[in-house]
Amino acid sequence: MKILVYGLPTSGKTTLGKKITDALSNSVVRRYDADTVREAWDDWAFDQNGRHRQAIRMRALAKLNSKYGIATIIDFVCPFNRFRNDEMWDVTIFMDTVSSSPYPDTDKIFERPDKEPTYRIDSWDEVNKVALEIIEQIQSFEYEEE
């Protein structure tokens, strides 16, 4: 199961991802956040090419884990619709809890979703409910040979 959690910085992506992964075994689910992946690749470029490379890396991590039957939560800004709308995602979650972030350059390029995500969280009151739903989905997900 491949889950994309996206939204502006400070919107709660990591908070939601941690709630889910903390409730499950590491052999069942893994979470990758943008900073950890950028650090691993030593790629801190935030121009358009750097953001595209990052989106491709994040997508590849989810796809790789899926081959081994491991659910993956990818939490990062993912500012471009073309990467969010990829049909490979089983679940997309838009953290719509903030209208701006501490990074004006990110705010400027962030595209509002052009396709309705599986979940749109616009209130902190919804985080626990959605986390529980995702936990149940991961626990009952049936993996198919790819």
Side-chain angles (χ1 to χ4, degrees):
M1 179 173 221
K2 298 172 290 290
I3 302 164
L4 173 64
V5 182
Y6 68 94
L8 287 171
T10 73
S11 63
K13 300 175 300 293
T14 300
T15 299
L16 175 64
K18 284 183 177 180
K19 279 186 179 292
I20 296 165
T21 55
D22 287 352
L24 297 166
S25 160
N26 196 37
S27 64
V28 174
V29 65
R30 300 230 173 90
R31 183 185 64 80
Y32 297 97
D33 66 84
D35 288 343
T36 302
V37 173
R38 284 185 182 281
E39 184 178 344
W41 266 263
D42 194 24
D43 184 352
W44 296 93
F46 288 92
D47 61 2
Q48 186 161 349
N49 287 335
R51 291 178 186 275
H52 281 215
R53 281 192 309 274
Q54 180 70 350
I56 290 166
R57 279 191 291 264
M58 300 299 270
R59 180 184 183 277
L61 287 167
K63 199 168 187 177
L64 180 63
N65 280 339
S66 180
K67 288 194 174 289
Y68 294 101
I70 300 168
T72 306
I73 297 170
I74 298 295
D75 77 65
F76 81 118
V77 172
C78 196
F80 307 115
N81 282 315
R82 70 180 266 212
F83 294 109
R84 300 177 200 146
N85 295 343
D86 190 324
E87 291 187 16
M88 72 158 258
W89 299 113
D90 298 302
V91 175
T92 55
I93 304 170
F94 175 36
M95 296 299 294
D96 193 14
T97 59
V98 298
S99 58
S100 64
S101 77
Y103 307 100
D105 60 323
T106 300
D107 296 352
K108 185 176 178 180
I109 65 160
F110 187 85
E111 297 172 354
R112 297 289 297 175
D114 64 357
K115 179 180 171 190
E116 193 59 33
T118 312
Y119 295 93
R120 177 185 300 261
I121 297 177
D122 58 13
S123 163
W124 287 102
D125 297 335
E126 299 172 62
V127 170
N128 287 335
K129 176 183 173 271
V130 171
L132 289 173
E133 286 182 28
I134 298 299
I135 290 165
E136 288 177 13
Q137 288 179 41
I138 290 170
Q139 290 172 327
S140 64
F141 192 77
E142 297 288 330
Y143 282 90
E144 297 176 11
E145 292 292 320
E146 291 190 23

